[in-house]
């Protein structure tokens, strides 16, 4: 049974989310503050975190940052802040999705299931891809650069794998949304740009002579190998 950690300081909202998620056959852990959230996260290792931005003791951004230093576990941000800057802050910080309050329980369940499917279906193969000092192990979903592990969220890893399967081919944002995010994604295509930015930052030590993720203005993105 997959575990979902719900981090929400409003107990009524937390109970509602718990009921909906349990109805889907998920095991729900509840935390009402940041300290408890991190403790439960490290103790139980959930498959997904629903994380409220506004908590009493620490904000959700700090918790997301802490999680990302240790894990690529999917995180969906819960926020009453409708401003696009806050949404982009979450996505740029490594969140996999965001849900704005007030929300419909069925929507939360659909988003959770979509993110869990993406993280479970990244790729299950015993192949290994190597591009100079960049090595991608598909059986363990691990990425290393110069022998050191590279931390990527499941969605960013899915995007990197999709591009590395098709080197030197150009894909538009819409292509990448359809093939990586999925047809059920209804957010901004700016998420593609943010994901590419995070991957480039994670691979900043990868020599350009070995490869790069190239932007073709007005066309899209390309995983370019050996400068081709």
């Amino acid at each position: 049974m997959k575990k979902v950690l719900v981090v929400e300081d409003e107990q009524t909202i937390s109970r509602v989310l718990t009921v909906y998620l349990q109805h889907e056959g998920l095991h729900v852990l509840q935390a009402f503050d940041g300290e408890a959230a991190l403790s439960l996260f490290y103790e139980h290792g959930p498959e997904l975190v629903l994380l409220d931005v506004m908590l009493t003791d620490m904000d959700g951004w700090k918790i997301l940052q802490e999680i990302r230093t240790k894990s690529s576990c999917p995180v969906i941000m819960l926020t009453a802040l409708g401003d696009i800057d806050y949404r982009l802050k979450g996505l740029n910080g490594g969140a996999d999705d965001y849900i704005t309050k007030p929300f419909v329980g069925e929507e939360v369940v659909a988003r959770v299931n979509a993110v869990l499917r993406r993280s479970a279906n990244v790729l299950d193969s015993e192949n290994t891809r190597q591009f100079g000092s960049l090595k991608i192990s598909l059986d363990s979903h691990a990425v290393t650069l110069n022998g050191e592990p590279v931390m990527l969220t499941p969605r960013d890893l899915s995007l990197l794998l999709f591009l590395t399967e098709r080197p030197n081919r150009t894909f538009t944002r819409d292509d990448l949304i359809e093939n990586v995010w999925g047809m059920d994604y209804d957010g901004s295509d700016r998420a593609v740009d943010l994901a590419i930015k995070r991957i480039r930052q994670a691979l900043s030590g990868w020599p350009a002579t070995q490869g790069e993720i190239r932007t073709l203005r007005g066309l899209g993105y390309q995983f370019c190998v050996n400068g081709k």
Side-chain angles (χ1 to χ4, degrees):
M1 182 180 295
K2 291 184 177 180
K3 299 185 291 294
V4 174
L5 173 59
V6 175
V7 186
E8 169 61 66
D9 59 358
E10 295 187 39
Q11 297 196 21
T12 300
I13 294 177
S14 183
R15 284 196 295 269
V16 169
L17 289 170
T18 297
V19 169
Y20 274 97
L21 295 170
Q22 287 178 337
H23 189 262
E24 286 293 300
L26 298 167
H27 177 66
V28 180
L29 306 164
Q30 291 177 283
F32 303 108
D33 59 58
E35 184 178 353
L38 291 173
S39 177
L40 287 172
F41 180 83
Y42 291 126
E43 180 179 355
H44 295 278
E47 278 75 21
L48 184 141
V49 179
L50 273 174
L51 177 58
D52 186 26
V53 171
M54 306 299 290
L55 298 171
T56 54
D57 60 337
M58 71 175 73
D59 64 42
W61 310 124
K62 291 181 180 178
I63 297 173
L64 174 62
Q65 185 179 31
E66 174 66 22
I67 289 174
R68 282 290 166 264
T69 63
K70 302 290 194 304
S71 171
S72 59
C73 172
V75 177
I76 299 177
M77 306 298 290
L78 298 172
T79 175
L81 304 170
D83 192 299
I84 188 64
D85 289 339
Y86 285 99
R87 299 182 185 185
L88 294 178
K89 181 177 181 179
L91 293 172
N92 201 31
D96 294 83
D97 204 349
Y98 59 84
I99 299 173
T100 304
K101 299 177 184 177
F103 49 75
V104 177
E106 289 82 0
E107 178 192 7
V108 176
V109 169
R111 296 285 190 93
V112 166
N113 284 332
V115 172
L116 286 173
R117 283 196 302 272
R118 285 195 293 268
S119 63
N121 296 325
V122 168
L123 270 180
D124 188 10
S125 168
E126 295 183 356
N127 297 324
T128 298
R129 299 181 191 135
Q130 186 143 5
F131 306 93
S133 54
L134 176 64
K135 182 177 181 181
I136 303 172
S137 176
L138 303 184
D139 55 344
S140 62
H141 302 163
V143 178
T144 59
L145 181 62
N146 298 314
E148 297 295 326
V150 176
M151 297 298 297
L152 294 169
T153 68
R155 180 180 287 166
D156 291 355
L157 178 57
S158 296
L159 176 57
L160 178 61
L161 292 174
F162 179 82
L163 291 172
T164 56
E165 275 192 311
R166 302 158 181 85
N168 304 318
R169 288 177 55 187
T170 304
F171 296 93
T172 66
R173 290 188 184 90
D174 288 343
D175 291 334
L176 297 174
I177 288 289
E178 180 178 347
N179 286 281
V180 178
W181 276 253
M183 296 300 293
D184 54 355
Y185 176 74
D186 61 357
S188 168
D189 62 2
R190 180 72 189 282
V192 176
D193 302 332
L194 294 172
I196 292 290
K197 179 181 178 181
R198 289 193 300 270
I199 294 172
R200 283 172 170 161
Q201 289 174 339
L203 303 182
S204 60
W206 189 34
T209 54
Q210 297 177 6
E212 64 178 326
I213 299 178
R214 183 174 296 174
T215 301
L216 282 78
R217 190 174 299 277
L219 295 175
Y221 294 105
Q222 178 187 100
F223 183 80
C224 184
V225 180
N226 294 327
K228 297 179 182 179

